[in-house]
Amino acid sequence: MPPRTTILLTAMEEELQAFLDHSTRLGSESWAGWTIHHLECAGMPCVAVRSGVGKVLASMVTQHLIDRFQPSRLILSGVAGALNPDYEPGDIVLARDLIQHDLDVRALGFPRGQVPWSNDRIFTSCPDLLRIAQKLQTPHRLFTGRILTGDQFFTHSELLSHSYVRDELAGDAIEMEGAAVAQVCSRHQLPFLVVRTISDKADGSAHLDFSRLLPEVARNSWSVVEGILAALPKPV
Ligand code: ADE
């Protein structure tokens, strides 16, 4: 039986490129417009995919990859905006847990982020993967925090009108795929970890910082993913 693979998911091309540049490419396949790269990274069999931005694309491709590969684990890496005032661009955030900030059925009595008529609200990263990542030696500042996900890019005006992301949901960083991928993985009891590098402070200059810093900070997330893969027991 071939060893089961690790899924490496990213949203943007720059983030995927960091994976491809540091791996042995073994081939690729296509599905519904996605290119699925077969790789070996740090001695581990992996498949890497750029999902595209947002919860729908990320969920859709995650479900397909689980069906197709029956993976051992999934690592989602990429960039995020900072909500925690201590975070600076270039810092790395390991998700302790994730919530969909834009899922709001409070009108029917459910707390913000709760999938109605279910227990799904806070999705928790795999403790073993988190522990491995927390122990890595990296030149970047490494935090563990709560990541919020929604189909919105946050700048100063969203922060003003959506103050609940800090006050109510206690988010440390914000992005557009993590909690959706976490929800799909949780349904399948698939261990997952979300690793994000801060690209902007979700403020007035977020759009400029995001574009300027994306290629560089995408490499920071990759270095953590590579470190995790190198620390995992090798398949025999
Ligand atoms: N990803 C990176 N920066 C972000 C922001 N400010 N809002 C949402 N997603 C992001």
Side-chain angles (χ1 to χ4, degrees):
M1 189 76 173
R4 289 193 302 154
T5 196
T6 298
I7 304 291
L8 305 176
L9 209 57
T10 68
M12 311 267 301
E13 190 57 38
E14 291 82 350
E15 298 161 348
L16 174 70
Q17 203 51 53
F19 288 174
L20 300 181
D21 288 348
H22 294 86
S23 308
T24 308
R25 298 193 202 192
L26 304 174
S28 66
E29 62 187 71
S30 301
W31 179 75
W34 277 280
T35 304
I36 299 169
H37 301 270
H38 297 231
L39 308 173
E40 188 181 292
C41 323
M44 300 291 285
C46 298
V47 297
V49 179
R50 175 175 72 88
S51 63
V53 173
K55 296 196 300 181
V56 172
L57 290 177
S59 311
M60 192 179 165
V61 77
T62 299
Q63 180 62 58
H64 172 70
L65 294 169
I66 293 171
D67 292 342
R68 166 82 179 83
F69 295 102
Q70 292 89 48
S72 307
R73 62 189 70 80
L74 179 148
I75 304 175
L76 169 61
S77 115
V79 298
L83 298 174
N84 186 322
D86 294 340
Y87 293 1
E88 295 295 335
D91 291 346
I92 291 168
V93 192
L94 307 169
R96 181 185 58 248
D97 54 30
L98 305 101
I99 303 179
Q100 294 178 70
H101 68 78
D102 59 352
L103 181 48
D104 181 2
V105 192
R106 286 173 305 149
L108 299 184
F110 297 98
R112 197 190 289 280
Q114 175 108 22
V115 181
W117 297 289
S118 83
N119 293 323
D120 290 348
R121 179 165 186 258
I122 302 178
F123 301 100
T124 308
S125 291
C126 167
D128 293 338
L129 289 174
L130 186 57
R131 244 188 319 271
I132 290 172
Q134 284 168 328
K135 286 192 197 140
L136 291 175
Q137 299 294 327
T138 141
H140 316 292
R141 297 199 307 166
L142 200 59
F143 293 93
T144 301
R146 169 166 291 166
I147 291 186
L148 302 184
T149 302
D151 283 325
Q152 275 160 321
F153 188 86
F154 263 54
T155 65
H156 185 61
S157 58
E158 284 76 22
L159 272 187
L160 286 180
S161 55
H162 301 62
S163 56
Y164 56 79
V165 293
R166 278 298 287 165
D167 308 343
E168 194 181 323
L169 298 178
D172 293 302
I174 194 154
E175 40 84 306
M176 301 179 69
E177 296 82 22
V181 170
Q183 185 177 359
V184 176
C185 291
S186 298
R187 273 287 167 121
H188 293 279
Q189 286 100 43
L190 177 66
F192 69 88
L193 181 66
V194 178
V195 179
R196 294 288 190 180
T197 303
I198 298 300
S199 58
D200 58 80
K201 299 191 84 168
D203 57 10
S205 52
H207 57 299
L208 296 175
D209 292 341
F210 175 84
S211 307
R212 189 167 49 87
L213 295 175
L214 180 61
E216 182 193 330
V217 298
R219 285 194 293 275
N220 291 11
S221 306
W222 162 252
S223 67
V224 173
V225 175
E226 192 174 32
I228 296 169
L229 293 173
L232 287 168
K234 296 292 161 286
V236 280

